[in-house]
Amino acid sequence: MKKTLLLIVFLLSGFLFAQGQYFSTGQDPASVKWKQIRTRDFRIIYPSAFEKTSQYMANILKMVTRQETKTLSARVPRIPILIHSQSVVSNGLTVWAPRRIELYPCPPQNSYAEEWLEQLVIHEYRHAVQISKMNQGFSRILYYIFGEQITGGILGLYVPSWFLEGDATATETALSNSGRGRTAVFENVLRAQLLGKGIYPYDKAVLGSYWDFVPDAYQLGYPLVTQARKTYGTDIWNVALDRTAKYPFMIVPFSSGIRKVSGLTKTRFYHKILSDLTDQWQKQDVKVDCSPIRYITSPKTKFYTSYVHPVLNNDSIIITEKETLDDVDWIISINRHTGKERKLIPLGYSFEESISTSGDYFTWSEWEPDPRWQNRDYSVIRLYNMRTRQDQYLTHRSRYFAPSLSPGADAIAAVRTDTENHSFIDLLDVHSGEVTRSFPMKNHDLAMTPNWSLDAGAIIFTLLTERGKTLAKLDLQTGNITHYLPFSFMEISGPAYYHMQHIIFSADYSGISNLYAVDTLTLKIYQVVSSRFSCSDPDFTSARDTMIFLDYTPDGFKIAETAIDTLKWIPLEEIRDASIHLYDSIVKQENANIQDSALNRGLYKILQDSVPDSSSLNPNISIYETSKYSKFLNLFKPHSWAPASIDINSLSVHPGISILSQNLLSTTFATAGYDYDINERTGKFYVDLTYKGWYPVFDFRFDFGKRAALFKGTRYTYNEMNFKAIVSQPLNFSHGRVLQFFQPSIGTTLISLLADPTTPAGFPKHTIQRMDYRLYFSRTIKSDAKDMYPRWGQIFDGNFRNTPFDGKTMGSILSAEGNFYFPGFFRHHGFWLYAGYQQKERKKSNAYDFSDLISYPRGFSGQENHKLCSFFINYKFPLFYPDFSAGSVAYFKRFKLNLFFDYSEGKTGTRYDHYRSTGAELTADLHLLRFVFPFELGVRGLYFPDTSALGFEFIYSVNF
């Protein structure tokens, strides 16, 4: 028991404390004015322009807080919720140090049939419930010792991500009419794997693979969590989390909880649940009558390969995005008849909503960051000319999604979402990018993936409202919008005109996402294509006799085609839903529907052009009092502490105490504490402060305390005070696939030495003030996960430090470093070249000196030179991908080999020194004890040519 407790204290006060410090998504622009809504259960902090949407969200939260602890019992403390409305990213996250939920409210173009903020709140608040369950038993005692970081830390250490995301996805599904768990496209990822490839080993399924595609934590977790609730009831997850919180000193408390209810270990439980699901999906599979199709791209590939949004440029050439485990994403062309592929342009960080082509052009949307503010970014339209092979940014600092080229290639229709979540369909001139017309959607309705009619007189699109989804037509002459389907919470997407009378789209009517047609005159619906797993994204040859589309397989989405014969279309009345309806059991367990409640209460009225008086609303709807959120009064928020002093940079742990503060806007970060040096038997007090609320970033550090030394064999102490201040300007100039950063900085450090009663008479009492200047620049090309290094890249780091003021001098040091990355001889191999130069100027009588800023060859330490030139060359490549588990101790994903040669030349006075080493580093990427963060462990073999000596070193790193 004592050993176990010591291990826990070490892990939680060191490892978890270090990796958990200062988690931040970034900052919003300094110009944003913040307001807040405070209730007993939550506190919403939002930009002042987001007023009515925040009132709406507060009412949703009121319903959510009443429902989400029904099947996962916990007492959730009042939680702050931050709204980042200036980002185009659609996301949310729940963090527990400091405790908060951060929401990115811009709705995605692939959203299912629920208002985006509603689904975000349901999902993220469930994470708050999960973490709150950790605040009991022994974990509650640990909270008093370590603060908020320990609560989230225990959850992250012991509870697998498949449960966290699977349970939240189950909740978003059970408490609404939609949710990912009800959509066939979401379900088919695991279903296709189980029916086509079988059940993967537990470690591979949970920790991933470089060789095989595995479903993510959401796609794996939702079926596991939901089928377990169906089989064992809701107690299974309550017991698993309760045991994790009460007994974190157990090796596997979460698994113990599963075993207590199910009688199975975690891995056996995993296999049983997936076996049960396989049996159910096999029964569904035999009922599927697949349409005859021809694959244009091979249905079986060496690596998982998926195509996205294929469109016909002409009857022979398809333009599409290609995603694979073995390369970065590309937009490519495919010959429809031969299947031959040609790369056109590598993608940056695209939104994967649609690719559109017409004439010589194709277009897509891409993410672009703000140079300074991480929580303000943009979605820009890019246009590629296939004749000239030139691409351009048609818009800048915009919020455009799903651009669609007109048949004449003279205009683009795109969805624009403003910072208050209003949606528009804009028409832009292809040559200038200027907006020629703009069509606003009513209220907060969302337009999705527009597509042109054949005569360019109308736009067909998916429309999402509070009543669900429909297919809609925008008449460009009158601006009128026509609906072709009854509003429903059925998942529909990707409409395209077949003829003016028929629109073909994908929908889940049969429990599988198949292709359907709606007759715009009679409004009758027909099934056009039936797929085993799912199909989507229709497009047509010029004669309208053949249709291409995406068909899902266990190896990804493939491009297929089929002949169109309207006589073989099946009326919707004859289509039967044979899916397993996995969500039915959890819907009964929750017995509540927030989506219906919001609609029935008329809650969506709050999302009109102005916030109404409460008298005009349903009595169950509240208009909450708002107040200003002061940035100044909320600069500090202490959230965690530890009975140790921890250096996050070196991951070193010393006796002492640490207190951490991070405010909710993530603009001020502070650490204060006391650090005791065991070797010197002295201690110091310290304060670190970083402020990121303005365009420059300010860093300060102050420490004061005792130091110890020996004089003629006798130990003595003295006082040392250090003050450091740095001003830096981080800038992000990334675009497309080029990641580009620049950061200049200037700083000063004041070091003061003071005597105490034990200090010898000759002790040099003095003050040193040093100046630091730095220029950092990096430019790398987006690479895939298998690449050893960036495929191309340059990183430059220049430093100059001196002591120009009166007082004790340390001389000066000048350094310049360059890191250069090149592709290797084979795929995923890479060269890394390092070059550095350093020059020190020092006073002969000075006992203080600057530390080296550039590296000596591997295997050398403790060297001293006034001038130093270094050159290293590395060639790194993967050996094999075993996906091998050594029980629950280690899971090996990849072995790598790095060959290196290091050379340095040093000069001191007239003396030249030469340092050489060469050798190899054999390392493995692995997970220890199924811990979510990957380790790199290995051994370095060294040979020193100048002395013919050999050496070995153990090397390791952890990727947080």
Side-chain angles (χ1 to χ4, degrees):
M1 184 65 175
K2 291 181 179 179
K3 291 181 179 179
T4 303
L5 289 175
L6 285 173
L7 175 62
I8 289 172
V9 170
F10 172 76
L11 284 173
L12 299 180
S13 66
F15 195 66
L16 289 176
F17 184 85
Q19 67 93 8
Q21 292 186 80
Y22 304 146
F23 177 80
S24 168
T25 61
Q27 291 75 45
D28 296 81
S31 59
V32 173
K33 306 298 182 184
W34 296 91
K35 297 181 71 175
Q36 62 182 338
I37 295 173
R38 301 174 68 106
T39 75
R40 182 188 63 184
D41 298 315
F42 53 83
R43 177 187 186 191
I44 303 176
I45 301 167
Y46 60 94
S48 56
F50 215 66
E51 173 71 36
K52 57 181 174 292
T53 311
S54 297
Q55 290 285 349
Y56 158 78
M57 193 178 72
N59 280 273
I60 293 292
L61 271 163
K62 180 171 65 173
M63 293 186 281
V64 166
T65 55
R66 293 173 181 173
Q67 298 297 335
E68 289 214 8
T69 56
K70 179 179 179 180
T71 56
L72 198 65
S73 56
R75 295 184 61 184
V76 184
R78 184 168 75 170
I79 187 165
I81 301 170
L82 281 84
I83 308 295
H84 303 294
S85 64
Q86 298 207 19
S87 174
V88 297
V89 173
S90 307
N91 200 6
L93 68 157
T94 303
V95 187
W96 221 249
R99 180 175 69 250
R100 67 196 188 275
I101 294 174
E102 299 196 38
L103 301 181
Y104 294 79
C106 184
Q109 287 289 290
N110 62 351
S111 179
Y112 41 90
E114 185 174 10
E115 195 276 325
W116 175 240
L117 265 178
E118 189 173 81
Q119 48 186 286
L120 263 186
V121 168
I122 297 173
H123 186 100
E124 294 304 327
Y125 194 81
R126 184 63 165 202
H127 287 316
V129 175
Q130 294 164 353
I131 303 175
S132 297
K133 279 191 74 69
M134 295 299 100
N135 193 24
Q136 57 176 309
F138 190 70
S139 294
R140 186 171 180 83
I141 297 174
L142 292 175
Y143 165 79
Y144 292 112
I145 302 173
F146 297 103
E148 289 179 356
Q149 64 180 328
I150 205 65
T151 308
I154 291 173
L155 192 84
L157 180 65
Y158 290 116
V159 182
S161 58
W162 62 257
F163 169 77
L164 299 176
E165 300 302 348
D167 177 63
T169 303
T171 305
E172 81 187 29
T173 302
L175 291 179
S176 71
N177 291 309
S178 48
R180 274 168 285 193
R182 297 177 190 257
T183 63
V185 171
F186 179 79
E187 181 182 83
N188 72 29
V189 178
L190 182 63
R191 183 167 66 93
Q193 178 213 300
L194 295 181
L195 297 183
K197 294 176 180 277
I199 300 174
Y200 287 152
Y202 179 81
D203 286 338
K204 182 172 185 173
V206 173
L207 301 173
S209 168
Y210 287 109
W211 189 261
D212 291 311
F213 170 81
V214 296
D216 63 26
Y218 303 82
Q219 296 157 341
L220 173 66
Y222 167 75
L224 284 175
V225 169
T226 306
Q227 180 67 18
R229 283 176 57 170
K230 179 180 178 181
T231 305
Y232 303 106
T234 59
D235 277 351
I236 185 169
W237 301 124
N238 277 290
V239 171
L241 291 181
D242 287 343
R243 289 183 72 82
T244 302
K246 294 177 180 179
Y247 312 114
F249 44 80
M250 295 177 64
I251 301 300
V252 283
F254 186 78
S255 301
S256 171
I258 292 176
R259 187 168 188 171
K260 183 176 181 181
V261 175
S262 69
L264 301 170
T265 63
K266 184 168 61 177
T267 54
R268 289 185 177 179
F269 161 83
Y270 160 83
H271 281 279
K272 173 184 167 39
I273 293 295
L274 292 193
S275 294
D276 291 346
L277 287 170
T278 302
D279 292 341
Q280 296 175 59
W281 278 327
Q282 283 174 339
K283 293 176 183 178
Q284 175 190 359
D285 197 46
V286 298
K287 299 177 183 179
V288 176
D289 185 13
C290 296
S291 302
I293 63 174
R294 182 185 77 88
Y295 283 107
I296 296 171
T297 56
S298 174
K300 292 187 178 181
T301 50
K302 181 179 179 181
F303 297 104
Y304 181 93
T305 301
S306 204
Y307 298 85
V308 182
H309 303 300
V311 285
L312 283 160
N313 181 255
N314 55 52
D315 285 348
S316 298
I317 299 300
I318 299 170
I319 305 298
T320 184
E321 177 184 340
K322 182 179 181 180
E323 301 174 343
T324 174
L325 291 180
D326 208 43
D327 200 355
V328 295
D329 299 343
W330 282 80
I331 293 179
I332 65 171
S333 66
I334 302 176
N335 187 295
R336 174 177 153 243
H337 305 294
T338 66
K340 184 177 180 181
E341 301 181 358
R342 182 167 70 92
K343 292 181 176 179
L344 297 176
I345 184 170
L347 279 172
Y349 296 89
S350 68
F351 285 93
E352 297 185 0
E353 302 147 345
S354 64
I355 294 174
S356 177
T357 183
S358 181
D360 292 331
Y361 300 102
F362 63 79
T363 186
W364 72 100
S365 61
E366 199 165 77
W367 174 82
E368 186 176 88
D370 183 90
R372 170 62 181 88
W373 307 109
Q374 294 93 328
N375 287 331
R376 179 172 69 187
D377 44 37
Y378 309 97
S379 178
V380 298
I381 296 176
R382 292 186 69 177
L383 188 69
Y384 185 88
N385 188 317
M386 290 180 284
R387 179 173 50 82
T388 63
R389 298 186 180 181
Q390 298 294 316
D391 74 290
Q392 67 180 96
Y393 287 86
L394 195 65
T395 64
H396 302 275
R397 296 199 169 196
S398 57
R399 296 170 63 94
Y400 281 116
F401 306 92
S404 178
L405 273 162
S406 66
D410 56 351
I412 289 176
V415 175
R416 173 170 58 90
T417 304
D418 67 16
T419 56
E420 297 175 52
N421 275 22
H422 297 115
S423 178
F424 307 78
I425 293 180
D426 286 357
L427 303 186
L428 296 85
D429 181 80
V430 164
H431 305 290
S432 66
E434 295 295 323
V435 177
T436 57
R437 296 188 70 185
S438 183
F439 301 91
M441 300 295 106
K442 292 181 180 179
N443 306 327
H444 270 58
D445 295 353
L446 175 64
M448 303 166 69
T449 58
N451 210 335
W452 291 80
S453 64
L454 302 179
D455 62 0
I459 299 288
I460 186 72
F461 61 99
T462 306
L463 180 64
L464 172 60
T465 77
E466 73 272 15
R467 292 179 291 163
K469 280 186 174 183
T470 186
L471 294 185
K473 182 189 78 171
L474 169 65
D475 189 306
L476 298 181
Q477 291 262 338
T478 64
N480 293 332
I481 293 178
T482 304
H483 303 151
Y484 288 126
L485 297 177
F487 284 98
S488 75
F489 300 105
M490 170 73 64
E491 180 56 25
I492 61 173
S493 62
Y497 274 101
Y498 166 49
H499 287 298
M500 291 302 291
Q501 185 176 340
H502 290 99
I503 298 167
I504 295 184
F505 59 100
S506 59
D508 290 356
Y509 293 114
S510 68
I512 294 174
S513 182
N514 285 321
L515 290 175
Y516 296 84
V518 59
D519 187 318
T520 60
L521 299 180
T522 66
L523 301 186
K524 290 198 67 174
I525 301 171
Y526 304 88
Q527 186 183 81
V528 178
V529 175
S530 174
S531 171
R532 185 184 182 192
F533 297 113
S534 74
C535 55
S536 61
D537 296 87
D539 200 15
F540 313 94
T541 57
S542 58
R544 290 312 197 250
D545 59 353
T546 302
M547 175 174 65
I548 69 165
F549 58 93
L550 288 177
D551 186 72
Y552 193 76
T553 74
D555 289 302
F557 276 105
K558 309 303 178 185
I559 302 176
E561 68 173 29
T562 187
I564 300 178
D565 185 352
T566 57
L567 297 177
K568 294 182 179 180
W569 291 0
I570 304 173
L572 183 60
E573 307 87 70
E574 300 178 19
I575 302 302
R576 297 292 178 264
D577 183 351
S579 63
I580 65 175
H581 282 220
L582 186 59
Y583 52 83
D584 282 346
S585 59
I586 57 174
V587 169
K588 292 177 182 177
Q589 290 168 350
E590 297 292 351
N591 194 29
N593 191 304
I594 288 170
Q595 201 169 8
D596 277 349
S597 298
L599 184 60
N600 293 336
R601 295 181 183 186
L603 184 56
Y604 294 92
K605 288 183 179 180
I606 294 181
L607 295 177
Q608 308 300 321
D609 291 335
S610 59
V611 177
D613 294 330
S614 57
S615 60
S616 67
L617 299 173
N618 186 304
N620 292 320
I621 298 175
S622 303
I623 298 300
Y624 291 90
E625 181 180 349
T626 66
S627 61
K628 177 184 176 182
Y629 181 81
S630 171
K631 297 179 187 178
F632 177 75
L633 295 179
N634 291 280
L635 279 176
F636 298 98
K637 190 180 190 308
H639 59 80
S640 300
W641 43 87
S645 175
I646 301 168
D647 187 338
I648 181 62
N649 297 312
S650 64
L651 293 182
S652 60
V653 182
H654 299 157
I657 189 171
S658 301
I659 303 174
L660 282 80
S661 170
Q662 176 182 336
N663 67 342
L664 294 175
L665 296 181
S666 294
T667 56
T668 309
F669 306 83
T671 305
Y674 177 79
D675 181 280
Y676 183 79
D677 189 319
I678 297 176
N679 295 323
E680 292 188 5
R681 289 176 289 153
T682 59
K684 63 180 178 181
F685 295 93
Y686 64 90
V687 176
D688 282 299
L689 177 67
T690 297
Y691 184 71
K692 298 184 177 183
W694 295 332
Y695 216 75
V697 173
F698 298 88
D699 288 282
F700 304 95
R701 179 180 174 90
F702 174 80
D703 62 66
F704 176 81
K706 294 285 187 182
R707 296 293 307 277
L710 294 176
F711 178 70
K712 295 183 179 179
T714 302
R715 180 180 180 274
Y716 69 91
T717 59
Y718 60 95
N719 295 310
E720 181 178 274
M721 181 184 71
N722 296 278
F723 175 76
K724 187 174 185 177
I726 300 175
V727 181
S728 61
Q729 184 57 74
L731 296 170
N732 184 350
F733 296 120
S734 301
H735 63 279
R737 64 170 182 153
V738 180
L739 305 175
Q740 199 162 253
F741 303 90
F742 177 66
Q743 180 167 312
S745 64
I746 182 172
T748 185
T749 302
L750 182 68
I751 305 171
S752 180
L753 304 183
L754 304 171
D756 70 9
T758 71
T759 307
F763 179 77
K765 311 176 189 65
H766 56 253
T767 299
I768 302 172
Q769 184 174 359
R770 115 185 170 199
M771 297 296 298
D772 299 346
Y773 311 87
R774 186 184 184 192
L775 284 175
Y776 175 87
F777 172 79
S778 72
R779 185 181 187 274
T780 57
I781 302 299
K782 180 185 176 185
S783 302
D784 72 76
K786 285 187 176 181
D787 289 334
M788 296 293 98
Y789 301 125
R791 297 189 178 184
W792 294 94
Q794 307 85 37
I795 300 175
F796 300 96
D797 194 356
N799 287 271
F800 178 65
R801 298 175 181 176
N802 69 342
T803 48
F805 305 106
D806 292 338
K808 194 72 174 179
T809 179
M810 295 174 66
S812 65
I813 186 171
L814 172 69
S815 72
E817 294 177 282
N819 293 273
F820 307 92
Y821 301 97
F822 303 95
F825 299 119
F826 302 98
R827 186 181 294 276
H828 309 306
H829 293 212
F831 282 101
W832 167 32
L833 276 63
Y834 169 86
Y837 172 79
Q838 173 182 287
Q839 178 176 321
K840 291 182 181 180
E841 298 290 341
R842 59 177 294 185
K843 302 294 184 181
K844 291 184 179 180
S845 60
N846 185 32
Y848 293 91
D849 201 357
F850 285 104
S851 301
D852 290 316
L853 296 176
I854 74 169
S855 301
Y856 280 87
R858 274 159 276 204
F860 288 89
S861 62
Q863 313 300 318
E864 177 63 36
N865 294 100
H866 291 168
K867 291 184 179 180
L868 182 67
C869 294
S870 293
F871 177 79
F872 308 159
I873 183 170
N874 298 264
Y875 186 80
K876 195 171 187 178
F877 54 95
L879 293 175
F880 52 95
Y881 305 89
D883 289 350
F884 170 74
S885 293
S888 61
V889 176
Y891 169 60
F892 294 87
K893 296 169 69 174
R894 176 171 61 182
F895 282 87
K896 305 169 290 185
L897 187 65
N898 181 48
L899 307 177
F900 66 88
F901 175 76
D902 299 348
Y903 172 77
S904 291
E905 179 181 274
K907 181 182 179 183
T908 303
T910 59
R911 188 187 83 248
Y912 285 88
D913 299 303
H914 299 275
Y915 311 94
R916 297 180 181 89
S917 68
T918 187
E921 297 169 335
L922 176 63
T923 57
D925 293 324
L926 71 156
H927 293 261
L928 294 175
L929 301 175
R930 295 183 175 138
F931 189 57
V932 63
F933 297 114
F935 288 75
E936 183 176 11
L937 302 178
V939 63
R940 174 185 295 144
L942 291 155
Y943 174 70
F944 302 95
D946 297 320
T947 62
S948 298
L950 296 173
F952 294 93
E953 295 176 346
F954 175 69
I955 53 178
Y956 71 96
S957 65
V958 186
N959 183 2
F960 291 120

